Amino acid sequence: MKLTETKTLNAALKSHYSEKKLSASQLEQLLFLQAKASFSDDDMISSDHATHQKEDAKEATSGFWSQFINRVQRLMQKYRYAFASGVTAILFALAISLNHFQAIPTTQSILEEIAFNHKQRMSVTIKTASITEVSHFLEDLSFSLIKSSRLDKKSWSLIGGRYCSINGTLAAQLKVKNNESNKIYTFYQAALPKDLSLDSNATGTNNIDGINVSIWKENGLLLALADD
Amino acid sequence: MLDKDILNQLYRYALSLAKNEDQAYDLLQSCIEKYLRADTNNIDMPVAYLKRTIRNAFIDSRRRGRFQVSLTQEIIETGDTEQTLAEPTLEDIYIQQREVNGIIDKLKPEESELLYLWAVEEYTVDEIAKLRNQSRGTLLSKMHRLKKRLRSELAEQAPLLKAN
């Protein structure tokens, strides 16, 4: 094209605009946009048969549910950021709620857990009458075992102990014998769960599924005694 | 699917309004996205639909700018009745190729668009009037005024070009 060439105005304008073209990457991007839309809509836009193709495609998937799903998919695509934010907020709220429920144990849930542990009748992993030896053996506990004032030395004998779990934390399950009745009991010591409001009525004996469970606080620990 | 030729045609139309290549592309892209979201079953003429969409989007982008003001002024102005009876042509205006850029730069977006549709796409007055939603008389008046202005601009540039 000669820049000094004189033309009629419309010829010059045609020549000017004919040089204005989309770059290869711009064209690629616009074609990709259409291909993506065609893929998601199962539709073609400007061919002569477009309308028929679309009608055929619609007939093939004309069920209520497919239309409903298509609509939901379009809405999800259109409002994808709001949708993602909503889902995140719901998951966050759910996580907080679950954490909240787990973090606040009830007296009842602990009583049930102790009764369950007792029913398992697990054998001790260390057999000894010395609380100090059991304490050394169960070295992974986050607290030190204590001699409870409720189990006096004259009436009760220690048989041994093992690890157990109470409220999701490591605890001690001791086996003790009542010297007067010769009955075997399981005696539990655990770190006092945070936020646990121990029901004062529970400090008596509770019957949980046929198991008698007593629970109380002592020296900052949660103690419990269970028998059949 | 809008093919490469149609996309380039729409791009040139957007360029005639925006007079800036980046803005023209942004305008085109946003309108194609809008078009793809629309129910294409109800659109018989995609190219005409897209041109209107591009035009409206451009006007929206300049709503508080000079373009809107110039539209209002031109609608209020009335052309010479005698002039508006005949459809003007551009065949009798001569220009050097290198003058084209300078001329387009001096035009308002609406004038540049009119020139593009008139000269490059060879739209009839009725077709332009339909696209722009204007009356034939108003449009003819604008075309006469534009032609007169182009002659004037070219006359001003001629001595400069000769000097160069």
Side-chain angles (χ1 to χ4, degrees), chain A:
Chain A
M1 182 177 65
K2 288 181 184 173
L3 291 176
T4 53
E5 190 181 351
T6 302
K7 300 174 176 175
T8 58
L9 181 58
N10 42 354
L13 284 167
K14 277 178 184 163
S15 177
H16 169 79
Y17 278 106
S18 69
E19 291 183 348
K20 307 291 181 187
K21 289 178 181 172
L22 290 160
S23 69
S25 64
Q26 287 173 330
L27 269 174
E28 196 178 331
Q29 198 171 350
L30 295 177
L31 291 170
F32 174 74
L33 267 179
Q34 294 181 81
K36 203 169 81 172
S38 297
F39 180 75
S40 63
D41 292 349
D42 204 16
D43 183 23
M44 297 293 284
I45 294 164
S46 69
S47 77
D48 292 339
H49 304 295
T51 309
H52 298 300
Q53 283 177 350
K54 190 163 188 175
E55 281 170 3
D56 290 345
K58 274 194 171 177
E59 275 173 24
T61 57
S62 62
F64 169 79
W65 285 111
S66 61
Q67 286 180 22
F68 176 74
I69 288 165
N70 280 341
R71 186 161 293 184
V72 169
Q73 282 174 340
R74 283 182 189 177
L75 282 172
M76 279 172 68
Q77 193 177 3
K78 191 172 180 181
Y79 299 108
R80 56 189 178 278
Y81 296 117
F83 180 76
S85 306
V87 169
T88 307
I90 289 168
L91 289 176
F92 185 70
L94 197 62
I96 294 282
S97 305
L98 287 173
N99 190 40
H100 182 72
F101 283 125
Q102 283 182 345
I104 304 176
T106 61
T107 305
Q108 183 64 24
S109 67
I110 288 178
L111 287 171
E112 285 172 0
E113 195 170 7
I114 287 167
F116 176 81
N117 281 340
H118 179 80
K119 280 183 186 174
Q120 302 307 306
R121 304 191 189 283
M122 303 288 283
S123 57
V124 293
T125 49
I126 176 170
K127 208 177 239 185
T128 174
S130 164
I131 190 80
T132 310
E133 283 182 20
V134 176
S135 196
H136 283 151
F137 187 78
L138 306 179
E139 60 183 1
D140 290 333
L141 293 172
S142 61
F143 56 92
S144 298
L145 294 175
I146 61 167
K147 289 178 181 175
S148 171
S149 59
R150 288 201 186 186
L151 306 181
D152 63 274
K153 195 175 178 182
K154 190 181 168 189
S155 303
W156 296 88
S157 303
L158 179 64
I159 297 171
R162 60 173 294 116
Y163 285 118
C164 73
S165 167
I166 293 176
N167 191 44
T169 59
L170 203 57
Q173 183 188 64
L174 308 175
K175 196 167 271 189
V176 292
K177 187 178 85 173
N178 184 287
N179 294 330
E180 291 162 8
S181 63
N182 278 332
K183 277 179 72 175
I184 305 294
Y185 290 72
T186 48
F187 176 47
Y188 299 86
Q189 298 196 11
L192 195 62
K194 197 181 169 186
D195 301 329
L196 173 71
S197 62
L198 199 58
D199 187 347
S200 58
N201 293 330
T203 53
T205 301
N206 303 271
N207 191 286
I208 311 290
D209 291 337
I211 307 297
N212 299 313
V213 183
S214 302
I215 186 171
W216 69 97
K217 287 183 200 175
E218 191 171 332
N219 289 355
L221 294 181
L222 175 72
L223 302 186
L225 190 67
D227 76 306
D228 297 332

Side-chain angles (χ1 to χ4, degrees), chain B residues 107-123:
Chain B
L107 298 177
K108 295 172 189 169
E110 194 194 36
E111 293 171 330
S112 171
E113 177 207 22
L114 178 57
L115 198 57
Y116 171 80
L117 293 170
W118 185 14
V120 181
E121 297 223 7
E122 297 177 353
Y123 270 38

